[in-house]
Amino acid sequence: MKKVVTTKGVKIGEGLPKICVPIVGKTIEEILEETRFLKTADFDIAEWRADFYDDIECIDRAKLVLEAVRYILMDDPIIFTFRNVREGGKRQISTKFYFELNMSIIQTRIASIVDIELSDNEREIKTLIDAAHKNNVAVIISSHDFEGTPPKEEIISRLRKAAELGGDILKIAVMPTCEKDIITLLDATRIMKEKYKDRPIATISMGRQGIISRLAGGLFGSDLTFASVGGISAPGQISSEELRRFMSLLYDNSYTE
């Protein structure tokens, strides 16, 4: 039976794909301004992209920012994400600090979900997942390829590896270089859904070419899609309002899996 991740009343893996929007301010003032603006926006989940924050290397300040974001978004799921440069993020930190940061955030129990990169040390990933589950925090294990789109078998392999490590939500984002790459990503998603899917997945083809994957990925098995409300966190994101409107045309209101 497929696992559904439920947080703050939002069921990821059931019904329509959920829309996640980023918070990408550089300062606490910008972050809180963006967060307050989300109160007027159409979304299901907010993601604080902490790698955009200038003072992220001070963990105590990071925790205070997260507390303030939670105070504003009291009833909404929040994903905490620090994305390293190698995975398309804004800065690179040491492996040691990356795990210290994520462990500290997990232990606050403020974030609903943390995003952990698949490219990191497997033993440390498992340690973070164990801690997250003990603190009632769900885990996305993510993989990003900004250079191209791997073969279908590799996409499936990465997603299955994330599942083996214990991720609650499995994510991969790739960059298309041609139309065929988008088909590769969507067909890998379909295969995961039909053969291996026992938990939610998020699959994205980035850039303008890949927008169709954000709009229609759910038809192939993707449970989570990413949009913007103001600033973007990845190439190809469109506004959450536009995404919701297009999804309403593509998916029947009675959509179920």
Side-chain angles (χ1 to χ4, degrees), residues 161-219:
K161 181 64 176 178
E164 290 172 10
L165 290 171
D168 301 294
I169 301 169
L170 322 176
K171 178 189 173 187
I172 189 166
V174 298
M175 186 65 73
T177 59
C178 60
E179 291 83 357
K180 184 179 178 182
D181 284 347
I182 302 163
I183 295 171
T184 296
L185 183 279
L186 292 174
D187 199 40
T189 307
R190 175 193 65 81
I191 292 170
M192 281 296 299
K193 175 183 178 180
E194 294 178 358
K195 292 187 176 181
Y196 307 112
K197 191 175 179 185
D198 62 350
R199 66 199 75 194
I201 63 174
T203 60
I204 301 140
S205 186
M206 295 182 286
R208 298 300 299 177
Q209 279 185 309
I211 285 177
I212 187 64
S213 70
R214 299 181 186 274
L215 302 176
L219 298 176

Side-chain angles (χ1 to χ4, degrees), residues 53-251:
Y53 176 44
D54 287 339
D55 292 329
I56 190 58
E57 293 188 51
C58 176
I59 292 178
D60 287 340
R61 289 180 187 173
K63 290 193 287 188
L64 288 173
V65 172
L66 185 58
E67 286 177 6
V69 170
R70 168 53 73 207
Y71 181 79
I72 297 169
L73 300 179
M74 188 65 66
D75 300 319
D76 299 301
I78 298 170
I79 301 172
F80 175 84
T81 300
F82 183 96
R83 185 75 66 227
N84 278 295
V85 168
R86 67 174 182 269
E87 295 274 337
K90 290 301 177 182
R91 68 176 70 189
Q92 192 71 31
I93 56 177
S94 70
T95 299
K96 181 177 182 291
F97 183 75
Y98 177 82
F99 285 101
E100 287 178 358
L101 173 64
N102 278 286
M103 182 62 76
S104 295
I105 294 299
I106 286 167
Q107 290 172 343
T108 68
R109 303 188 179 189
I110 298 172
S112 313
I113 304 168
V114 293
D115 181 303
I116 304 299
E117 294 168 354
L118 180 62
S119 59
D120 283 300
N121 180 279
E122 289 185 11
R123 181 177 60 83
E124 297 286 0
I125 290 173
K126 290 179 179 178
T127 299
L128 287 176
I129 291 172
D130 288 343
H133 291 167
K134 288 176 182 176
N135 285 280
N136 198 32
V137 175
V139 177
I140 295 173
I141 297 186
S142 62
S143 176
H144 300 76
D145 192 327
F146 280 77
E147 300 300 320
T149 298
K152 183 166 34 182
E153 296 75 18
E154 173 63 18
I155 293 172
I156 294 168
S157 175
R158 291 190 201 178
L159 291 169
R160 293 188 68 192
K161 181 64 176 178
E164 290 172 10
L165 290 171
D168 301 294
I169 301 169
L170 322 176
K171 178 189 173 187
I172 189 166
V174 298
M175 186 65 73
T177 59
C178 60
E179 291 83 357
K180 184 179 178 182
D181 284 347
I182 302 163
I183 295 171
T184 296
L185 183 279
L186 292 174
D187 199 40
T189 307
R190 175 193 65 81
I191 292 170
M192 281 296 299
K193 175 183 178 180
E194 294 178 358
K195 292 187 176 181
Y196 307 112
K197 191 175 179 185
D198 62 350
R199 66 199 75 194
I201 63 174
T203 60
I204 301 140
S205 186
M206 295 182 286
R208 298 300 299 177
Q209 279 185 309
I211 285 177
I212 187 64
S213 70
R214 299 181 186 274
L215 302 176
L219 298 176
F220 297 84
S222 186
D223 299 295
L224 185 63
T225 187
F226 291 76
S228 65
V229 178
I232 67 170
S233 59
Q237 284 180 357
I238 63 174
S239 77
S240 61
E241 289 185 359
E242 287 182 305
L243 181 53
R244 186 79 76 184
R245 185 167 63 251
F246 281 119
M247 285 174 61
S248 70
L249 297 174
L250 287 172
Y251 301 96

